[in-house]
Amino acid sequence: MEQEIFDFWKFLAGIGLFLWGMNQLEGSIKELAGKSFRNLLQKSTNTAWKGILIGALITAVLQSSSLVTLMVLAFLGAGVINLKNAIGVILGANLGTTVTAWIVATLGFKFSVAAFSMPFLGIGSLMFIFFSSRPMLKNLGAFTVGFGLLFLGLDFMKSAIEAVADQIDLSQFDKYGLWIYLVIGLVVTALIQSSSAMVVIILSAMSARVIGLVEGAVLIIGANIGTTVTVGIGSLNGPADKKRLALAHFLFNMITGLLVFAFIRPLIDLTMTVFSIHDPLMELVLLNTLINLIGIVVFYPFINKLEGWLKHRFGEEQQTGIATYIGKVKPDVPEAAVAALEKDIHLAFELTADFIFKIWEGDALGNKRDISIWRKLVQQPYDLLFQYKRIKQLEDELTAYHITLQVVNLDQTSAQKATSLMLALRTMVYAAKDIKDVMHNIKEMQESEDNQVQELLEFLRSFTFEQLNKMKAFIDHQEDLVRPDWIGQHDEVYQNTIAELYQKVRKRQPEVAISTLTNVIKQVVSSLDNLGSSLIHWRFMEKVVIDQKVREN
């Protein structure tokens, strides 16, 4: 009887179709529910345990640990989640990705997979083509096509291996021990960059009786370690947090894998006895899940220590600009990009408020009135002008970043929030410019010996500090935002102060020109008014938009 020849191209086509199907599933689910999952990841990962649960849930639904890793890195860079909770999400993602193996083992080897995939391919293709103008139905069609491709690829791989299964003899590897299977699983997974595809290859080989359960379990361990290579390579030129997360992912899979490898035979015997499983394929996918569960149980108590250790492994990259967060987040995940933008808007407010404060008190001078006048003249202008230039540079960086966001398909809420943030930034810069323009006049008033001038100066200083404190309190109480009571008061203060000044001028002309004093009053009030308006654009308008959406729903 003529021996069958291994159809390599059919096997390779099977891998390609499977990966293409996974890609279609990932892309369509990302479009159908990606925003919901990004919001869930952003708002529900305030502890490591929640991170594990959410990571497992999102990965199980999206069927893509790489997509979840991308979201985690984006929110980590934006400062929305910390490193410890990001590690929790990655641990959960490893568990969630085992769902693919359960689906394949349950459905893929019970009946004709090729016949099963045909309706999905046919209906999905027609939906994708004829409903291209309706995004919801088009993405649903892409999802259906992806599901069909996944099982068609499985059928190609399974039939290619089954055709030559009786000709394959792996006994020659026995002299090397189980280590050789560990290495094979690692290398092949690193090459095809998909642990899910590798698991399907292993299940196909086991179904054709090419390998046994022990060898398949060791190949799974190798695949789990190999899947970290892609993330590791991608982190080489990334920021420090990305390298830390990639290292945590590698350590988790490697240590867990080696620990389980050392006790693989007793673990197999234990699980088969406890769960009374007689199907080796189901035993293998159960082991795949248990391996990741064991890793979570082992690593969870040490997450805090791991976080501290990782933070000392890679130094923070040198910032090329003033912004702290936007350089760490690409616009791939819009919610993370807008969150990073908001974090740097907060930095802009801090710089602006500090600049206004230092106009009155000086940089290193503080309240030391005994410091000589010449030192104030020499030191203060240089520091303050330099800080003003930093505010302007930050404005340029954030504006450029906002322009890059325009090419991303932002949803209405994110786009509206980004616009409000940029309006807030612009009015902050106006506030800094208003006070900067009378900086020399304020200095002239500080040097004056006239009591009338000093009284006005002290009033403006006290009023400025009072308003800055109110604005900072407004920012700090995000959970209960109400329209601030200082809105609309600035114009009244301006009118009253000018009127009082004119009353005093009638009795005695001050040492500093009246036009200078009125201009200082005008610019100080205008500066505080602009800074207050920036907070309305930033915080209060965001609450108005949210409340409006709640009422509409």
Side-chain angles (χ1 to χ4, degrees):
M1 181 177 179
E2 186 178 347
Q3 286 188 333
E4 293 280 349
I5 299 175
F6 178 59
D7 193 341
F8 171 77
W9 293 114
K10 184 176 183 180
F11 179 75
L12 186 62
I15 296 176
L17 287 172
F18 185 88
L19 292 175
W20 190 14
M22 291 291 293
N23 181 263
Q24 288 293 316
L25 285 174
E26 175 184 326
S28 57
I29 297 177
K30 181 180 177 181
E31 291 297 324
L32 288 168
K35 183 177 183 296
S36 300
F37 285 120
R38 289 195 295 269
N39 287 336
L40 181 64
L41 181 61
Q42 179 180 357
K43 298 175 182 177
S44 305
T45 52
N46 54 335
T47 65
W49 257 119
K50 285 184 180 179
I52 293 172
L53 295 175
I54 296 300
L57 171 65
I58 295 177
T59 308
V61 176
L62 295 182
Q63 288 296 293
S64 173
S65 58
S66 59
L67 180 59
V68 175
T69 302
L70 172 65
M71 289 193 287
V72 171
L73 288 171
F75 286 120
L76 180 63
V80 174
I81 60 177
N82 59 32
L83 181 60
K84 179 182 74 173
N85 299 339
I87 293 172
V89 176
I90 293 299
L91 300 188
N94 273 6
L95 180 63
T97 197
T98 64
V99 171
T100 305
W102 282 101
I103 294 173
V104 170
T106 304
L107 302 177
F109 296 91
K110 306 302 181 184
F111 44 80
S112 175
V113 184
F116 176 74
S117 66
M118 293 306 165
F120 290 97
L121 291 172
I123 295 172
S125 299
L126 292 175
M127 288 180 66
F128 187 84
I129 293 171
F130 290 109
F131 295 104
S132 58
S133 60
R134 302 180 65 179
M136 182 74 176
L137 293 176
K138 178 183 177 182
N139 287 314
L140 190 59
F143 173 84
T144 308
V145 169
F147 200 72
L149 287 173
L150 189 147
F151 282 98
L152 184 62
L154 169 63
D155 182 75
F156 278 27
M157 286 186 279
K158 186 177 72 168
S159 59
I161 293 176
E162 287 176 345
V164 294
D166 58 344
Q167 303 172 29
I168 300 175
D169 182 13
L170 298 179
S171 59
Q172 55 184 324
F173 291 128
D174 292 345
K175 61 182 178 181
Y176 299 106
L178 292 176
W179 284 99
I180 190 65
Y181 295 100
L182 185 73
V183 174
I184 292 172
L186 192 158
V187 172
V188 175
T189 305
L191 290 175
I192 65 177
Q193 298 190 11
S194 173
S195 59
S196 297
M198 184 60 187
V199 169
V200 171
I201 294 173
I202 296 169
L203 288 171
S204 300
M206 283 186 60
S207 177
R209 302 185 186 279
V210 174
I211 58 174
L213 178 57
V214 176
E215 291 80 7
V218 175
L219 283 169
I220 288 282
I221 296 172
N224 285 341
I225 300 174
T227 195
T228 65
V229 173
T230 303
V231 178
I233 293 174
S235 71
L236 292 178
N237 295 321
D241 275 336
K242 189 171 185 179
K243 295 174 183 175
R244 291 167 186 150
L245 201 59
L247 179 58
H249 189 205
F250 172 73
L251 290 174
F252 171 77
N253 285 27
M254 184 187 71
I255 294 174
T256 302
L258 294 179
L259 181 65
V260 173
F261 177 75
F263 302 97
I264 189 63
R265 294 183 189 276
L267 182 62
I268 291 175
D269 294 338
L270 178 65
T271 53
M272 293 188 76
T273 302
V274 171
F275 295 98
S276 301
I277 297 176
H278 304 290
D279 184 350
L281 298 185
M282 299 305 293
E283 169 67 8
L284 185 67
V285 295
L286 175 62
L287 280 172
N288 189 23
T289 302
L290 285 177
I291 289 170
N292 287 285
L293 279 174
I294 290 170
I296 290 172
V297 172
V298 169
F299 266 78
Y300 180 75
F302 304 101
I303 284 184
N304 288 330
K305 292 184 178 179
L306 178 61
E307 179 190 29
W309 182 80
L310 287 170
K311 286 185 175 179
H312 292 92
R313 295 284 72 80
F314 302 100
E316 293 294 341
E317 56 277 4
Q318 293 294 325
Q319 294 286 340
T320 56
I322 308 299
T324 302
Y325 293 94
I326 58 172
K328 300 177 182 178
V329 181
K330 294 180 180 179
D332 307 64
V333 183
E335 289 80 5
V338 174
L341 184 63
E342 183 173 15
K343 289 273 188 177
D344 280 324
I345 292 294
H346 196 164
L347 173 62
F349 172 81
E350 293 292 340
L351 287 176
T352 304
D354 188 58
F355 174 70
I356 295 173
F357 174 82
K358 288 175 180 175
I359 290 287
W360 297 102
E361 293 295 338
D363 189 3
L365 302 180
N367 291 312
K368 298 178 181 177
R369 297 296 178 187
D370 56 339
I371 294 178
S372 60
I373 295 295
W374 71 265
R375 190 175 168 196
K376 291 182 181 180
L377 291 171
V378 172
Q379 181 176 349
Q380 184 170 312
Y382 173 80
D383 291 337
L384 291 172
L385 289 176
F386 175 74
Q387 185 159 339
Y388 178 74
K389 290 178 181 178
R390 282 171 56 84
I391 295 171
K392 292 292 292 181
Q393 182 181 342
L394 179 58
E395 179 191 23
D396 291 342
E397 293 173 15
L398 297 184
T399 300
Y401 187 73
H402 183 248
I403 291 173
T404 65
L405 284 178
Q406 304 308 304
V407 300
V408 181
N409 187 23
L410 292 176
D411 62 272
Q412 184 178 358
T413 303
S414 296
Q416 196 164 5
K417 183 172 182 178
T419 301
S420 295
L421 289 173
M422 295 311 295
L423 286 172
L425 175 65
R426 196 164 296 118
T427 46
M428 285 178 197
V429 176
Y430 290 159
K433 185 179 185 304
D434 284 337
I435 198 74
K436 189 265 299 183
D437 288 345
V438 292
M439 189 169 62
H440 60 292
N441 297 129
I442 293 175
K443 202 179 308 163
E444 182 183 355
M445 294 173 67
Q446 289 172 338
E447 296 165 6
S448 173
E449 300 293 334
D450 192 317
N451 290 335
Q452 186 174 327
V453 173
Q454 288 300 316
E455 285 178 11
L456 177 60
L457 186 68
E458 185 58 35
F459 170 77
L460 292 175
R461 180 190 291 112
S462 299
F463 176 68
T464 299
F465 292 168
E466 178 187 355
Q467 296 302 302
L468 290 179
N469 287 332
K470 286 183 177 180
M471 292 177 194
K472 288 183 178 180
F474 178 70
I475 292 177
D476 293 338
H477 293 80
Q478 302 177 33
E479 70 285 351
D480 187 27
L481 290 180
V482 294
R483 188 172 180 83
D485 55 8
W486 36 261
I487 294 298
Q489 289 185 357
H490 294 140
D491 186 60
E492 182 181 349
V493 171
Y494 170 71
Q495 297 294 341
N496 293 340
T497 307
I498 289 291
E500 186 177 344
L501 176 65
Y502 284 165
Q503 287 292 333
K504 292 181 178 179
V505 167
R506 291 177 184 177
K507 300 177 181 178
R508 182 177 63 83
Q509 183 72 27
E511 182 180 301
V512 178
I514 186 65
S515 60
T516 298
L517 298 180
T518 56
N519 191 45
V520 169
I521 296 171
K522 174 180 176 297
Q523 292 297 101
V524 169
V525 172
S526 177
S527 174
L528 294 172
D529 190 53
N530 277 322
L531 193 58
S533 297
S534 73
L535 300 188
I536 301 304
H537 288 305
W538 174 14
R539 294 291 194 202
F540 192 71
M541 291 307 295
E542 177 184 352
K543 181 177 184 297
V544 170
V545 171
I546 294 173
D547 290 345
Q548 182 179 355
K549 289 182 71 66
V550 170
R551 286 195 299 269
E552 290 174 354
N553 293 334

